[in-house]
Structure formats: C-alpha cells, structure tokens
Amino acid sequence: ARALSGKGREFDELGAEVRGGNPDSKSKVRLRAEARNPFRFSRMTVLGGLDLGAFVGLIIITAKLVGQLANGGAPAQPLIEGEEAETIATSLQNFAINLVAVLGLSYVLKGEFDNIKRDEDAAEREESVGTLQVKIGKRRVVPLSRLRQSARIVVLYGPRGMLSGAVKDAKRRWASELKRRGVVIVQVPITGQEEEDDEESRGFASSPDEAEMSPMEAAVANAGSKGLELDAVALDEWRAFFDRLMSEKDMNRRDGVYLQLNLDGAIRVSGVGMPSWDAMATGLSLKEDWTNRMVEQ
C-alpha cells in the first residue's frame, strides 16, 4: 500500500505534461521567489546603473585627484575651455560624494541579492511542503499543492500527546471560526506509524461520488466529519522535511513546531510549540472574502 502513496503527485506531474509544461523544481522555486517581489528586477536594474555610474565617476575623480597631488595640489585643468579650474578641495569633496554613493548603493544591492537567496530558500521550503501528501475523504491521496487557493493548512509536528492536546483545544474552543477561515489541520507525530489502507484506497477516488468531487470539496467534507483535520500520508517524508528544517535551526523536535500556510501555499507563520488558535480565529479573514485572492497571492 505504501508504494502507491505517491500516485497523487504522479497524477499532477502527468497532468502538467499533458497541459504543455511541467517545470522542474528549480524553475518552480525561481518563479515563486520572483512572485514575492515582482518589481525587484526593475529596482535592481536602476540601482545597478546608478552604482555603475557612481563607480565610473569615482575612478575619474580618483585619477584627477592623483594628478593634482602629483602637481603639488595645483588646480586641475578644465576639460572645456572657459570652465573654472577644479581645486583639490573640490576634487576631494567629489571623491567623498562618489565614494559614499558607491558604498551605499553597493550595500543596498547586496541586500537585494541576500533577499533573493532568502526568498528562494523560502520558496524551496514551500515547494517541498507542497509535495507532501494528505488523505482526502476515505479513498484519495493528494499533495498539499492541490489544496492551494482552497484551504489554509496548519501542520503540527511534535510528540503525539502535544499534537492531540493542541487539536482538542482547537476543536473545543475555535472549531467554527477556524472552519469559516478555511483552516485545516494536519498532525505529524514524531514517532509511530500511519494506518495502512488497502491498495485501492491510494491515489484515486474509487467511488463515483468522490471521483466527481473537486479535491477541496472532498477535503471540506472530510474536515467537517473529523472536525478540521486531514490525515498525513507517508509520514516518513513529512518527518524528513521537519527534521531537516529543525536541524537547520538547531531546534529540539520534542519541543514541537508548526507551520501555517496561506491560500497560495506560502508559509505565513511558523514557530516552536503549538499555534495560538485564538490568533488565527481572530486574525485571519474569512476564506470566502474576495480580498484573500489579492492578498494571499
């Protein structure tokens, strides 16, 4: 049964190829990173041009200043007849201005390149999360990427007792408000095995009713019957993702960690321990609010 748990992903990849394109993971990461800041290229082009101009000016002024110092500080001869000769004090002032401009613009550009790396790392994590799988209804397994624009996924990772306590609290106090905001919880315990289904239950809906439902319609139906939850499939893949993430941050897996995804699959918030359900229930807009399509893109 476990061998068939990847059919949802394979179906998505096949569908992308049939539609005329299946970009590799690096292309997807780059596109998601660029979508975070669509005007970055234009901004960096302008900043790069200004920085280059300031650097060229600095070279010219430096050569002129060296020539003045070699002549005992005599004013530099003007390039155009009739212009006033430039004194060494003026040259020093221009040198300082261009030097500050080069340093300042270079610092800003470095920050932009650092932001590119940061956004690409974040996009890579989001694409990795999108490949992890959940079970919808009773018969269907799909990657999280299929639920984008349909649900705000909250993933809990930690000891089983910690997870069950957090989910009970969400159901007892905030179930109605969380469901109105499209919140769906996925538990990933650090130990234990998932329940095995028969081979027919992996990958595709076997009943006509479920086959006709969209992925999110089935997800809502399942979340309603279980009270906000979807089951994680292939737990070893989920654990590998979180263990890698926590090792990078030097975190203890028994402290627990959570991720909350926006409708577009971007990681909205993450943290150690379990989430604050009241903050989600009061801070997130209703899922049917049309502004979510604009904000969470």
Side-chain angles (χ1 to χ4, degrees):
R2 179 67 62 84
L4 297 177
S5 66
K7 277 190 175 181
R9 282 186 299 225
E10 294 172 3
F11 183 83
D12 281 358
E13 292 171 359
L14 177 60
E17 291 178 358
V18 170
R19 290 191 298 269
N22 185 23
D24 58 29
S25 59
K26 290 184 178 179
S27 298
K28 292 179 181 178
V29 166
R30 186 173 63 254
L31 290 172
R32 286 187 69 87
E34 290 175 356
R36 291 172 176 270
N37 200 328
F39 301 108
R40 175 178 287 146
F41 178 77
S42 298
R43 186 168 61 249
M44 293 183 68
T45 299
V46 173
L47 289 173
L50 293 173
D51 196 14
L52 179 61
F55 181 72
V56 172
L58 182 63
I59 293 175
I60 294 173
I61 294 171
T62 300
K64 183 186 296 184
L65 187 58
V66 169
Q68 289 177 304
L69 293 174
N71 292 328
Q77 294 299 318
L79 297 177
I80 301 176
E81 187 176 354
E83 286 189 350
E84 184 178 350
E86 187 174 297
T87 65
I88 191 170
T90 303
S91 296
L92 286 170
Q93 182 181 23
N94 292 336
F95 176 85
I97 292 172
N98 279 266
L99 179 62
V100 170
V102 168
L103 293 176
L105 291 168
S106 297
Y107 178 80
V108 174
L109 280 172
K110 181 182 181 302
E112 291 288 349
F113 281 110
D114 291 342
N115 289 339
I116 290 175
K117 180 64 167 61
R118 181 200 63 194
D119 288 347
E120 287 182 346
D121 289 344
E124 185 174 4
R125 285 193 296 271
E126 291 161 5
E127 283 300 312
S128 297
V129 171
T131 65
L132 300 175
Q133 299 178 102
V134 293
K135 184 167 64 175
I136 290 179
K138 296 180 179 179
R139 299 285 185 179
R140 194 169 190 177
V141 172
V142 298
L144 283 186
S145 59
R146 293 278 293 276
L147 304 184
R148 289 172 181 170
Q149 301 302 333
S150 300
R152 291 177 169 120
I153 304 296
V154 178
V155 186
L156 311 179
Y157 180 68
R160 193 176 295 272
M162 178 186 292
L163 304 189
S164 62
V167 173
K168 287 179 182 178
D169 183 54
K171 292 178 180 179
R172 183 177 67 252
R173 300 174 56 195
W174 304 103
S176 176
E177 292 301 320
L178 291 174
K179 289 183 70 174
R180 292 180 65 200
R181 286 156 176 79
V183 172
V184 178
I185 302 170
V186 178
Q187 296 188 57
V188 184
I190 61 176
T191 58
Q193 297 294 323
E194 62 186 308
E195 295 182 3
E196 295 288 348
D197 297 326
D198 55 50
E199 293 188 358
E200 293 182 354
S201 70
R202 296 292 185 177
F204 300 94
S206 60
S207 68
D209 290 341
E210 286 186 356
E212 294 174 358
M213 296 176 70
S214 70
M216 196 50 216
E217 287 174 335
V220 170
N222 184 64
S225 63
K226 294 193 63 180
L228 299 174
E229 289 186 82
L230 291 178
D231 292 327
V233 175
L235 288 177
D236 53 343
E237 297 180 7
W238 285 89
R239 289 166 180 156
F241 169 81
F242 277 103
D243 287 345
R244 183 170 61 253
L245 179 64
M246 297 181 80
S247 65
E248 292 173 357
K249 305 295 184 180
D250 194 24
M251 299 161 59
N252 189 332
R253 66 203 306 247
R254 292 200 166 274
D255 291 336
V257 68
Y258 69 92
L259 301 176
Q260 191 251 300
L261 308 184
N262 280 334
L263 291 174
D264 65 349
I267 298 175
R268 174 180 177 267
V269 65
S270 62
V272 178
M274 294 294 102
S276 172
W277 301 118
D278 57 340
M280 289 188 189
T282 57
L284 292 173
S285 58
L286 299 180
K287 191 174 76 69
E288 62 269 21
D289 188 345
W290 66 272
T291 56
N292 291 327
R293 301 292 178 179
M294 299 177 61
V295 176
E296 297 189 15
Q297 290 288 337

